[in-house]
PDB file of all heavy atoms in Angstrom:
ATOM      1  N   ILE A 709      13.501 -13.269 -17.349  1.00 89.00           N
ATOM      2  CA  ILE A 709      12.595 -12.148 -17.374  1.00 89.00           C
ATOM      3  C   ILE A 709      12.827 -11.243 -16.158  1.00 89.00           C
ATOM      4  O   ILE A 709      12.878  -9.991 -16.249  1.00 89.00           O
ATOM      5  CB  ILE A 709      11.136 -12.617 -17.443  1.00 89.00           C
ATOM      6  CG1 ILE A 709      10.869 -13.238 -18.800  1.00 89.00           C
ATOM      7  CG2 ILE A 709      10.181 -11.495 -17.168  1.00 89.00           C
ATOM      8  CD1 ILE A 709       9.515 -13.938 -18.865  1.00 89.00           C
ATOM      9  N   ALA A 710      12.962 -11.842 -14.916  1.00 88.00           N
ATOM     10  CA  ALA A 710      13.185 -11.097 -13.753  1.00 88.00           C
ATOM     11  C   ALA A 710      14.513 -10.319 -13.798  1.00 88.00           C
ATOM     12  O   ALA A 710      14.589  -9.233 -13.376  1.00 88.00           O
ATOM     13  CB  ALA A 710      13.124 -12.035 -12.556  1.00 88.00           C
ATOM     14  N   ARG A 711      15.539 -10.999 -14.361  1.00 89.00           N
ATOM     15  CA  ARG A 711      16.854 -10.373 -14.428  1.00 89.00           C
ATOM     16  C   ARG A 711      16.845  -9.136 -15.360  1.00 89.00           C
ATOM     17  O   ARG A 711      17.517  -8.151 -15.117  1.00 89.00           O
ATOM     18  CB  ARG A 711      17.912 -11.341 -14.911  1.00 89.00           C
ATOM     19  CG  ARG A 711      19.279 -10.906 -14.796  1.00 89.00           C
ATOM     20  CD  ARG A 711      20.318 -11.879 -15.326  1.00 89.00           C
ATOM     21  NE  ARG A 711      20.166 -13.163 -14.648  1.00 89.00           N
ATOM     22  CZ  ARG A 711      20.369 -14.377 -15.276  1.00 89.00           C
ATOM     23  NH1 ARG A 711      20.695 -14.419 -16.573  1.00 89.00           N
ATOM     24  NH2 ARG A 711      20.241 -15.490 -14.590  1.00 89.00           N
ATOM     25  N   GLU A 712      16.099  -9.245 -16.502  1.00 88.00           N
ATOM     26  CA  GLU A 712      16.052  -8.182 -17.450  1.00 88.00           C
ATOM     27  C   GLU A 712      15.135  -7.020 -17.027  1.00 88.00           C
ATOM     28  O   GLU A 712      15.204  -5.967 -17.665  1.00 88.00           O
ATOM     29  CB  GLU A 712      15.584  -8.684 -18.822  1.00 88.00           C
ATOM     30  CG  GLU A 712      16.532  -9.766 -19.434  1.00 88.00           C
ATOM     31  CD  GLU A 712      17.876  -9.188 -19.706  1.00 88.00           C
ATOM     32  OE1 GLU A 712      17.957  -7.977 -20.158  1.00 88.00           O
ATOM     33  OE2 GLU A 712      18.903  -9.870 -19.486  1.00 88.00           O
ATOM     34  N   ASN A 713      14.259  -7.318 -16.085  1.00 86.00           N
ATOM     35  CA  ASN A 713      13.271  -6.196 -15.580  1.00 86.00           C
ATOM     36  C   ASN A 713      13.442  -5.933 -14.152  1.00 86.00           C
ATOM     37  O   ASN A 713      12.467  -5.930 -13.380  1.00 86.00           O
ATOM     38  CB  ASN A 713      11.884  -6.684 -16.038  1.00 86.00           C
ATOM     39  CG  ASN A 713      11.640  -6.847 -17.398  1.00 86.00           C
ATOM     40  OD1 ASN A 713      11.699  -5.914 -18.160  1.00 86.00           O
ATOM     41  ND2 ASN A 713      11.504  -8.075 -17.916  1.00 86.00           N
ATOM     42  N   GLN A 714      14.693  -5.626 -13.776  1.00 86.00           N
ATOM     43  CA  GLN A 714      14.886  -5.299 -12.385  1.00 86.00           C
ATOM     44  C   GLN A 714      14.181  -4.003 -11.915  1.00 86.00           C
ATOM     45  O   GLN A 714      14.071  -3.088 -12.666  1.00 86.00           O
ATOM     46  CB  GLN A 714      16.391  -5.215 -12.035  1.00 86.00           C
ATOM     47  CG  GLN A 714      17.040  -6.533 -12.205  1.00 86.00           C
ATOM     48  CD  GLN A 714      18.482  -6.586 -11.845  1.00 86.00           C
ATOM     49  OE1 GLN A 714      19.005  -5.560 -11.420  1.00 86.00           O
ATOM     50  NE2 GLN A 714      19.188  -7.680 -12.096  1.00 86.00           N
ATOM     51  N   THR A 715      13.879  -3.917 -10.710  1.00 85.00           N
ATOM     52  CA  THR A 715      13.207  -2.717 -10.099  1.00 85.00           C
ATOM     53  C   THR A 715      14.265  -1.725  -9.608  1.00 85.00           C
ATOM     54  O   THR A 715      15.252  -2.199  -9.042  1.00 85.00           O
ATOM     55  CB  THR A 715      12.235  -3.079  -8.999  1.00 85.00           C
ATOM     56  OG1 THR A 715      11.322  -4.011  -9.539  1.00 85.00           O
ATOM     57  CG2 THR A 715      11.508  -1.879  -8.452  1.00 85.00           C
ATOM     58  N   ASN A 716      14.019  -0.476  -9.824  1.00 81.00           N
ATOM     59  CA  ASN A 716      14.932   0.599  -9.227  1.00 81.00           C
ATOM     60  C   ASN A 716      14.025   1.562  -8.506  1.00 81.00           C
ATOM     61  O   ASN A 716      12.821   1.496  -8.586  1.00 81.00           O
ATOM     62  CB  ASN A 716      15.839   1.170 -10.301  1.00 81.00           C
ATOM     63  CG  ASN A 716      14.971   1.910 -11.367  1.00 81.00           C
ATOM     64  OD1 ASN A 716      14.004   2.597 -11.090  1.00 81.00           O
ATOM     65  ND2 ASN A 716      15.357   1.723 -12.618  1.00 81.00           N
ATOM     66  N   PRO A 717      14.592   2.580  -7.835  1.00 81.00           N
ATOM     67  CA  PRO A 717      13.746   3.539  -7.079  1.00 81.00           C
ATOM     68  C   PRO A 717      12.766   4.272  -8.022  1.00 81.00           C
ATOM     69  O   PRO A 717      11.719   4.703  -7.511  1.00 81.00           O
ATOM     70  CB  PRO A 717      14.808   4.516  -6.515  1.00 81.00           C
ATOM     71  CG  PRO A 717      15.985   3.711  -6.363  1.00 81.00           C
ATOM     72  CD  PRO A 717      15.983   2.724  -7.539  1.00 81.00           C
ATOM     73  N   LEU A 718      13.036   4.411  -9.263  1.00 81.00           N
ATOM     74  CA  LEU A 718      12.073   5.131 -10.116  1.00 81.00           C
ATOM     75  C   LEU A 718      10.884   4.254 -10.552  1.00 81.00           C
ATOM     76  O   LEU A 718       9.827   4.772 -10.847  1.00 81.00           O
ATOM     77  CB  LEU A 718      12.777   5.683 -11.354  1.00 81.00           C
ATOM     78  CG  LEU A 718      13.885   6.728 -11.029  1.00 81.00           C
ATOM     79  CD1 LEU A 718      14.611   7.125 -12.368  1.00 81.00           C
ATOM     80  CD2 LEU A 718      13.305   7.960 -10.415  1.00 81.00           C
ATOM     81  N   THR A 719      11.148   2.938 -10.656  1.00 81.00           N
ATOM     82  CA  THR A 719      10.085   2.026 -11.196  1.00 81.00           C
ATOM     83  C   THR A 719       9.462   1.191 -10.054  1.00 81.00           C
ATOM     84  O   THR A 719       8.577   0.312 -10.306  1.00 81.00           O
ATOM     85  CB  THR A 719      10.641   1.117 -12.216  1.00 81.00           C
ATOM     86  OG1 THR A 719      11.779   0.294 -11.670  1.00 81.00           O
ATOM     87  CG2 THR A 719      11.163   1.869 -13.441  1.00 81.00           C
ATOM     88  N   MET A 720       9.824   1.400  -8.771  1.00 83.00           N
ATOM     89  CA  MET A 720       9.358   0.535  -7.693  1.00 83.00           C
ATOM     90  C   MET A 720       7.873   0.780  -7.457  1.00 83.00           C
ATOM     91  O   MET A 720       7.346   1.823  -7.803  1.00 83.00           O
ATOM     92  CB  MET A 720      10.117   0.705  -6.414  1.00 83.00           C
ATOM     93  CG  MET A 720       9.928   2.072  -5.810  1.00 83.00           C
ATOM     94  SD  MET A 720      10.967   2.132  -4.315  1.00 83.00           S
ATOM     95  CE  MET A 720      10.372   3.660  -3.635  1.00 83.00           C
ATOM     96  N   LEU A 721       7.178  -0.227  -6.982  1.00 83.00           N
ATOM     97  CA  LEU A 721       5.782  -0.074  -6.564  1.00 83.00           C
ATOM     98  C   LEU A 721       5.677   0.782  -5.337  1.00 83.00           C
ATOM     99  O   LEU A 721       6.313   0.467  -4.334  1.00 83.00           O
ATOM    100  CB  LEU A 721       5.185  -1.496  -6.389  1.00 83.00           C
ATOM    101  CG  LEU A 721       3.772  -1.529  -5.964  1.00 83.00           C
ATOM    102  CD1 LEU A 721       2.848  -0.935  -7.070  1.00 83.00           C
ATOM    103  CD2 LEU A 721       3.323  -2.979  -5.637  1.00 83.00           C
ATOM    104  N   ARG A 722       4.891   1.842  -5.383  1.00 82.00           N
ATOM    105  CA  ARG A 722       4.701   2.611  -4.238  1.00 82.00           C
ATOM    106  C   ARG A 722       3.427   2.244  -3.526  1.00 82.00           C
ATOM    107  O   ARG A 722       2.382   2.422  -4.120  1.00 82.00           O
ATOM    108  CB  ARG A 722       4.694   4.082  -4.693  1.00 82.00           C
ATOM    109  CG  ARG A 722       6.049   4.618  -5.139  1.00 82.00           C
ATOM    110  CD  ARG A 722       5.974   6.031  -5.691  1.00 82.00           C
ATOM    111  NE  ARG A 722       7.277   6.426  -6.082  1.00 82.00           N
ATOM    112  CZ  ARG A 722       7.878   6.153  -7.231  1.00 82.00           C
ATOM    113  NH1 ARG A 722       7.276   5.410  -8.090  1.00 82.00           N
ATOM    114  NH2 ARG A 722       9.057   6.603  -7.550  1.00 82.00           N
ATOM    115  N   LEU A 723       3.515   1.761  -2.332  1.00 82.00           N
ATOM    116  CA  LEU A 723       2.407   1.306  -1.553  1.00 82.00           C
ATOM    117  C   LEU A 723       1.881   2.488  -0.732  1.00 82.00           C
ATOM    118  O   LEU A 723       2.607   3.250  -0.142  1.00 82.00           O
ATOM    119  CB  LEU A 723       2.793   0.151  -0.668  1.00 82.00           C
ATOM    120  CG  LEU A 723       3.349  -1.086  -1.387  1.00 82.00           C
ATOM    121  CD1 LEU A 723       3.756  -2.081  -0.408  1.00 82.00           C
ATOM    122  CD2 LEU A 723       2.342  -1.626  -2.382  1.00 82.00           C
ATOM    123  N   ILE A 724       0.604   2.643  -0.667  1.00 81.00           N
ATOM    124  CA  ILE A 724      -0.029   3.762   0.120  1.00 81.00           C
ATOM    125  C   ILE A 724      -1.004   3.113   1.101  1.00 81.00           C
ATOM    126  O   ILE A 724      -1.557   2.011   0.917  1.00 81.00           O
ATOM    127  CB  ILE A 724      -0.773   4.732  -0.837  1.00 81.00           C
ATOM    128  CG1 ILE A 724      -1.895   4.097  -1.566  1.00 81.00           C
ATOM    129  CG2 ILE A 724       0.232   5.356  -1.801  1.00 81.00           C
ATOM    130  CD1 ILE A 724      -2.856   5.037  -2.247  1.00 81.00           C
ATOM    131  N   THR A 725      -1.338   3.824   2.067  1.00 78.00           N
ATOM    132  CA  THR A 725      -2.372   3.546   3.018  1.00 78.00           C
ATOM    133  C   THR A 725      -3.520   4.518   2.832  1.00 78.00           C
ATOM    134  O   THR A 725      -3.337   5.675   3.040  1.00 78.00           O
ATOM    135  CB  THR A 725      -1.900   3.532   4.491  1.00 78.00           C
ATOM    136  OG1 THR A 725      -0.819   2.648   4.622  1.00 78.00           O
ATOM    137  CG2 THR A 725      -2.957   3.128   5.422  1.00 78.00           C
ATOM    138  N   ALA A 726      -4.631   3.954   2.358  1.00 73.00           N
ATOM    139  CA  ALA A 726      -5.830   4.916   2.118  1.00 73.00           C
ATOM    140  C   ALA A 726      -6.334   5.373   3.486  1.00 73.00           C
ATOM    141  O   ALA A 726      -6.457   4.583   4.460  1.00 73.00           O
ATOM    142  CB  ALA A 726      -6.830   4.129   1.308  1.00 73.00           C
ATOM    143  N   PRO A 727      -6.763   6.634   3.573  1.00 71.00           N
ATOM    144  CA  PRO A 727      -7.306   7.080   4.829  1.00 71.00           C
ATOM    145  C   PRO A 727      -8.692   6.470   5.114  1.00 71.00           C
ATOM    146  O   PRO A 727      -9.438   6.178   4.111  1.00 71.00           O
ATOM    147  CB  PRO A 727      -7.462   8.598   4.546  1.00 71.00           C
ATOM    148  CG  PRO A 727      -7.511   8.750   3.110  1.00 71.00           C
ATOM    149  CD  PRO A 727      -6.713   7.616   2.470  1.00 71.00           C
ATOM    150  N   VAL A 728      -8.990   6.225   6.308  1.00 64.00           N
ATOM    151  CA  VAL A 728     -10.266   5.624   6.727  1.00 64.00           C
ATOM    152  C   VAL A 728     -11.303   6.792   6.732  1.00 64.00           C
ATOM    153  O   VAL A 728     -11.140   7.728   7.562  1.00 64.00           O
ATOM    154  CB  VAL A 728     -10.102   4.915   8.089  1.00 64.00           C
ATOM    155  CG1 VAL A 728     -11.401   4.385   8.490  1.00 64.00           C
ATOM    156  CG2 VAL A 728      -9.134   3.798   7.984  1.00 64.00           C
ATOM    157  N   GLN A 729     -12.337   6.571   5.989  1.00 73.00           N
ATOM    158  CA  GLN A 729     -13.374   7.660   5.938  1.00 73.00           C
ATOM    159  C   GLN A 729     -14.472   7.449   6.970  1.00 73.00           C
ATOM    160  O   GLN A 729     -15.072   8.381   7.439  1.00 73.00           O
ATOM    161  CB  GLN A 729     -14.034   7.697   4.531  1.00 73.00           C
ATOM    162  CG  GLN A 729     -13.025   8.044   3.419  1.00 73.00           C
ATOM    163  CD  GLN A 729     -12.420   9.393   3.570  1.00 73.00           C
ATOM    164  OE1 GLN A 729     -13.122  10.358   3.988  1.00 73.00           O
ATOM    165  NE2 GLN A 729     -11.210   9.542   3.229  1.00 73.00           N
ATOM    166  N   ASP A 730     -14.889   6.214   7.234  1.00 73.00           N
ATOM    167  CA  ASP A 730     -15.951   5.880   8.100  1.00 73.00           C
ATOM    168  C   ASP A 730     -15.442   5.683   9.561  1.00 73.00           C
ATOM    169  O   ASP A 730     -14.562   4.920   9.779  1.00 73.00           O
ATOM    170  CB  ASP A 730     -16.629   4.681   7.619  1.00 73.00           C
ATOM    171  CG  ASP A 730     -18.015   4.395   8.317  1.00 73.00           C
ATOM    172  OD1 ASP A 730     -18.340   5.200   9.199  1.00 73.00           O
ATOM    173  OD2 ASP A 730     -18.584   3.353   8.002  1.00 73.00           O
ATOM    174  N   GLY A 731     -16.019   6.403  10.512  1.00 74.00           N
ATOM    175  CA  GLY A 731     -15.618   6.280  11.913  1.00 74.00           C
ATOM    176  C   GLY A 731     -15.849   4.858  12.473  1.00 74.00           C
ATOM    177  O   GLY A 731     -15.089   4.388  13.266  1.00 74.00           O
ATOM    178  N   ARG A 732     -16.963   4.191  12.033  1.00 73.00           N
ATOM    179  CA  ARG A 732     -17.240   2.862  12.475  1.00 73.00           C
ATOM    180  C   ARG A 732     -16.164   1.888  11.960  1.00 73.00           C
ATOM    181  O   ARG A 732     -15.722   1.005  12.731  1.00 73.00           O
ATOM    182  CB  ARG A 732     -18.594   2.406  11.997  1.00 73.00           C
ATOM    183  CG  ARG A 732     -19.774   3.108  12.700  1.00 73.00           C
ATOM    184  CD  ARG A 732     -21.039   2.652  12.085  1.00 73.00           C
ATOM    185  NE  ARG A 732     -21.090   3.083  10.709  1.00 73.00           N
ATOM    186  CZ  ARG A 732     -22.007   2.794   9.850  1.00 73.00           C
ATOM    187  NH1 ARG A 732     -22.935   1.944  10.218  1.00 73.00           N
ATOM    188  NH2 ARG A 732     -21.958   3.286   8.618  1.00 73.00           N
ATOM    189  N   LEU A 733     -15.777   2.076  10.736  1.00 72.00           N
ATOM    190  CA  LEU A 733     -14.723   1.222  10.226  1.00 72.00           C
ATOM    191  C   LEU A 733     -13.411   1.402  10.968  1.00 72.00           C
ATOM    192  O   LEU A 733     -12.643   0.482  11.305  1.00 72.00           O
ATOM    193  CB  LEU A 733     -14.518   1.518   8.679  1.00 72.00           C
ATOM    194  CG  LEU A 733     -13.512   0.657   7.946  1.00 72.00           C
ATOM    195  CD1 LEU A 733     -13.760  -0.798   8.065  1.00 72.00           C
ATOM    196  CD2 LEU A 733     -13.329   1.079   6.542  1.00 72.00           C
ATOM    197  N   LYS A 734     -13.059   2.625  11.241  1.00 72.00           N
ATOM    198  CA  LYS A 734     -11.832   2.954  11.949  1.00 72.00           C
ATOM    199  C   LYS A 734     -11.823   2.281  13.350  1.00 72.00           C
ATOM    200  O   LYS A 734     -10.824   1.721  13.771  1.00 72.00           O
ATOM    201  CB  LYS A 734     -11.640   4.495  12.119  1.00 72.00           C
ATOM    202  CG  LYS A 734     -10.400   4.954  12.753  1.00 72.00           C
ATOM    203  CD  LYS A 734     -10.250   6.349  12.737  1.00 72.00           C
ATOM    204  CE  LYS A 734      -8.929   6.831  13.364  1.00 72.00           C
ATOM    205  NZ  LYS A 734      -8.720   8.272  13.330  1.00 72.00           N
ATOM    206  N   ARG A 735     -12.990   2.406  14.037  1.00 75.00           N
ATOM    207  CA  ARG A 735     -13.082   1.784  15.352  1.00 75.00           C
ATOM    208  C   ARG A 735     -13.015   0.260  15.246  1.00 75.00           C
ATOM    209  O   ARG A 735     -12.336  -0.370  16.155  1.00 75.00           O
ATOM    210  CB  ARG A 735     -14.432   2.206  16.003  1.00 75.00           C
ATOM    211  CG  ARG A 735     -14.430   3.655  16.570  1.00 75.00           C
ATOM    212  CD  ARG A 735     -15.591   3.903  17.387  1.00 75.00           C
ATOM    213  NE  ARG A 735     -16.891   3.745  16.699  1.00 75.00           N
ATOM    214  CZ  ARG A 735     -17.447   4.727  15.952  1.00 75.00           C
ATOM    215  NH1 ARG A 735     -16.869   5.908  15.789  1.00 75.00           N
ATOM    216  NH2 ARG A 735     -18.587   4.483  15.329  1.00 75.00           N
ATOM    217  N   ALA A 736     -13.530  -0.324  14.272  1.00 72.00           N
ATOM    218  CA  ALA A 736     -13.527  -1.763  14.061  1.00 72.00           C
ATOM    219  C   ALA A 736     -12.055  -2.168  13.815  1.00 72.00           C
ATOM    220  O   ALA A 736     -11.587  -3.219  14.364  1.00 72.00           O
ATOM    221  CB  ALA A 736     -14.357  -2.195  12.935  1.00 72.00           C
ATOM    222  N   ILE A 737     -11.343  -1.444  12.982  1.00 70.00           N
ATOM    223  CA  ILE A 737      -9.910  -1.784  12.742  1.00 70.00           C
ATOM    224  C   ILE A 737      -9.112  -1.617  14.042  1.00 70.00           C
ATOM    225  O   ILE A 737      -8.293  -2.486  14.387  1.00 70.00           O
ATOM    226  CB  ILE A 737      -9.369  -0.870  11.678  1.00 70.00           C
ATOM    227  CG1 ILE A 737      -9.998  -1.244  10.320  1.00 70.00           C
ATOM    228  CG2 ILE A 737      -7.878  -0.984  11.543  1.00 70.00           C
ATOM    229  CD1 ILE A 737      -9.719  -0.336   9.203  1.00 70.00           C
ATOM    230  N   GLU A 738      -9.370  -0.624  14.818  1.00 73.00           N
ATOM    231  CA  GLU A 738      -8.578  -0.385  16.058  1.00 73.00           C
ATOM    232  C   GLU A 738      -8.898  -1.483  17.103  1.00 73.00           C
ATOM    233  O   GLU A 738      -8.028  -1.988  17.763  1.00 73.00           O
ATOM    234  CB  GLU A 738      -8.924   1.008  16.649  1.00 73.00           C
ATOM    235  CG  GLU A 738      -8.314   2.137  15.817  1.00 73.00           C
ATOM    236  CD  GLU A 738      -8.825   3.471  16.272  1.00 73.00           C
ATOM    237  OE1 GLU A 738      -9.764   3.559  17.134  1.00 73.00           O
ATOM    238  OE2 GLU A 738      -8.263   4.475  15.818  1.00 73.00           O
ATOM    239  N   SER A 739     -10.203  -1.931  17.187  1.00 72.00           N
ATOM    240  CA  SER A 739     -10.571  -2.947  18.174  1.00 72.00           C
ATOM    241  C   SER A 739     -10.011  -4.285  17.705  1.00 72.00           C
ATOM    242  O   SER A 739      -9.613  -5.058  18.525  1.00 72.00           O
ATOM    243  CB  SER A 739     -12.039  -3.023  18.342  1.00 72.00           C
ATOM    244  OG  SER A 739     -12.601  -3.544  17.098  1.00 72.00           O
ATOM    245  N   GLU A 740      -9.850  -4.521  16.415  1.00 66.00           N
ATOM    246  CA  GLU A 740      -9.308  -5.768  15.922  1.00 66.00           C
ATOM    247  C   GLU A 740      -7.773  -5.877  16.227  1.00 66.00           C
ATOM    248  O   GLU A 740      -7.231  -6.852  16.600  1.00 66.00           O
ATOM    249  CB  GLU A 740      -9.516  -5.974  14.399  1.00 66.00           C
ATOM    250  CG  GLU A 740      -9.099  -7.291  13.913  1.00 66.00           C
ATOM    251  CD  GLU A 740      -9.478  -7.407  12.360  1.00 66.00           C
ATOM    252  OE1 GLU A 740     -10.639  -7.279  12.090  1.00 66.00           O
ATOM    253  OE2 GLU A 740      -8.559  -7.669  11.641  1.00 66.00           O
TER     254      GLU A 740
END
């Protein structure tokens, strides 16, 4: 199954980083 369904640049999973909306959450992430 893995051999028959190889990933290429058109089908690869695109990972994103969601923007932080809350200032308190951003500060908590930075302090961690």
Side-chain angles (χ1 to χ4, degrees):
I709 291 170
R711 190 181 305 145
E712 296 297 323
N713 296 293
Q714 293 184 5
T715 303
N716 62 43
L718 297 175
T719 61
M720 70 182 187
L721 178 63
R722 289 175 179 81
L723 302 176
I724 63 167
T725 303
V728 177
Q729 299 295 327
D730 189 1
R732 290 177 294 171
L733 180 60
K734 185 176 181 180
R735 286 190 299 276
I737 291 171
E738 289 171 352
S739 67
E740 187 175 303

